[in-house]
Amino acid sequence: MLVHIPGVFSPDEAREIQHVLQRAKWGDGKVTAGHQSARAKHNIQLPEDDPVAIELGNQIVQRLSHHPTFVSAVLPRKVFPPLFNCYKEGGSFGFHIDNAIRALKGHPERVRTDVSATLFFSSPETYDGGELVIQDTYGEQQVKLPAGDMVIYPSTSLHRVAPVTRGARIASFFWTQSLVRDDGHRRLLYDMDQAIQRLTRDVPDHEALIALTGTYHNLLRQWADV
């Protein structure tokens, strides 16, 4: 399930975050790639323990913890601390699939990568290329979003970042371990939750809402991994 989540940060907030990141100390992006992925990865990245990355990552997690679309679509259990990368001067990342398990630096905890996310901070008109290209059941999807918008998609997806031929593409990327491991199950729950929300808004007293809400929670109870 590929979901566009607009306005995680406002344009002004995204612009300020971009300015902070432009002044940060970047390193080689290959350090967080697996052996196979590293051969296809050509970008720069903030170190995981960089104070700027930690502070901004905490802001992102805090913002998403209250975001209704993110919570509904992802059903988060654990969020890997957000990372930050920059593509410029032909930088790209060839087709790859994200590592199944991510280890938190300096911590024994592990995160299973069920859902991948990219949060854009550069306005699309400021750079050429840089599309996130995702292969899913509906074919190849190309994603290039306004600053402050985010896309989520299954971590099992084959995907790449097209070369940036002008300007710089600055973004955050991270993974979430969901309460519901299976993407098909998450899709059904998300669609049902969206329908319940629309009915609650349009016909709040309809008796079917109780039955639908009960069915949603019974399915979640059956599929949740806690």
Side-chain angles (χ1 to χ4, degrees):
M1 176 174 62
L2 188 155
V3 179
H4 170 201
I5 303 180
V8 175
F9 289 94
S10 71
D12 287 343
E13 289 174 324
R15 191 177 303 111
E16 178 59 31
I17 291 172
Q18 182 186 16
H19 290 161
V20 171
L21 289 171
Q22 286 172 335
R23 298 191 297 269
K25 297 179 180 179
W26 298 87
D28 192 338
K30 295 182 187 295
V31 294
T32 57
H35 172 72
Q36 194 67 32
S37 296
R39 300 171 62 186
K41 189 175 187 181
H42 307 283
N43 66 3
I44 54 176
Q45 186 172 307
L46 285 191
E48 293 180 58
D49 55 358
D50 185 284
V52 172
I54 293 172
E55 180 180 349
L56 292 179
N58 288 338
Q59 289 183 31
I60 292 170
V61 173
Q62 178 65 24
R63 183 68 59 95
L64 291 176
S65 68
H66 303 292
H67 198 293
T69 304
F70 178 79
V71 173
S72 177
V74 177
L75 295 168
R77 182 182 182 189
K78 300 178 186 177
V79 179
F80 190 87
L83 303 173
F84 299 85
N85 60 20
C86 176
Y87 292 85
K88 60 181 181 178
E89 300 173 351
S92 65
F93 197 167
F95 272 121
H96 64 285
I97 292 177
D98 293 333
N99 292 349
I101 305 294
R102 305 292 306 198
L104 276 68
K105 190 170 184 177
H107 196 281
E109 189 172 11
R110 301 290 187 269
V111 175
R112 187 184 67 234
T113 60
D114 296 323
V115 182
S116 297
T118 297
L119 174 55
F120 292 80
F121 290 118
S122 297
S123 298
E125 67 273 9
T126 64
Y127 64 97
D128 293 334
E131 294 84 0
L132 175 62
V133 182
I134 305 168
Q135 290 189 359
D136 66 8
T137 54
Y138 300 101
E140 196 170 87
Q141 311 293 320
Q142 295 195 15
V143 182
K144 187 173 181 178
L145 300 179
D149 285 16
M150 186 172 75
V151 63
I152 59 171
Y153 56 96
S155 298
T156 53
S157 303
L158 192 66
H159 60 284
R160 68 182 177 93
V161 176
V164 172
T165 58
R166 177 185 65 90
R169 173 199 190 267
I170 296 176
S172 175
F173 64 103
F174 58 95
W175 304 271
T176 302
Q177 179 172 328
S178 176
L179 290 168
V180 176
R181 181 192 300 249
D182 184 82
D183 179 60
H185 292 166
R186 286 197 306 274
R187 180 190 294 270
L188 288 172
L189 289 168
Y190 175 67
D191 289 344
M192 183 176 288
D193 185 47
Q194 295 303 296
I196 290 170
Q197 290 187 41
R198 286 194 296 271
L199 285 172
T200 301
R201 182 184 64 244
D202 298 340
V203 283
D205 298 322
H206 199 291
E207 60 183 13
L209 274 170
I210 296 175
L212 283 172
T213 303
T215 300
Y216 173 88
H217 284 285
N218 285 334
L219 289 173
L220 180 58
R221 184 177 291 110
Q222 179 177 341
W223 293 333
D225 176 20
V226 295

